Amino acid sequence: MSASLMRATVRAVNKRKILPTRAALTLTPAAVSKIRLLLQDKPEYIGLKVGVRTRGCNGLTYTLEYTKEKEKSDEEVLQDGVTVFIEKKAQLTLLGTEMDFVESKLSSEFIFNNPNIKGMCGCGESFNI
């Protein structure tokens, strides 16, 4: 057996709750591919910006826009070579969310799989947290 070079000590900490770290937003491979395709012919834009606004029968809805610059309060998500910025107002509503892109014969859209949502309207367009 080899001799240990360092020691480690473990201490119990009272009244402190450790929370798991979660990414603000993760992108599926389909979402990464679609964002890359959307931005390839638009060199003036550096990524997409996700926001939230009041709309619909249940309160909030997500918005997606092209962006030319990062605002001071934006959270930056860089994954597989694409950049998504999250507006300050939307940051807490997106915590732990997966952004996907789904295409069918009738529609193509980004889907936000959000574990924080408490309720949605019937059409799935608006939500509340």
Side-chain angles (χ1 to χ4, degrees), residues 23-27 50 77 79 84 86 94-99 112:
L25 179 70
T26 57
L27 308 173
V50 180
V77 176
Q79 185 179 321
V84 175
I86 304 170
L94 282 169
L95 189 62
T97 299
E98 176 190 69
M99 183 177 172
F112 292 89

Side-chain angles (χ1 to χ4, degrees), residues 57-61 93 114 116-121 126-129:
C57 55
N58 225 314
L60 301 170
T61 189
T93 67
N114 189 332
N116 306 308
I117 291 177
K118 303 289 185 225
M120 290 176 44
C121 66
S126 64
F127 64 92
N128 67 53
I129 293 188

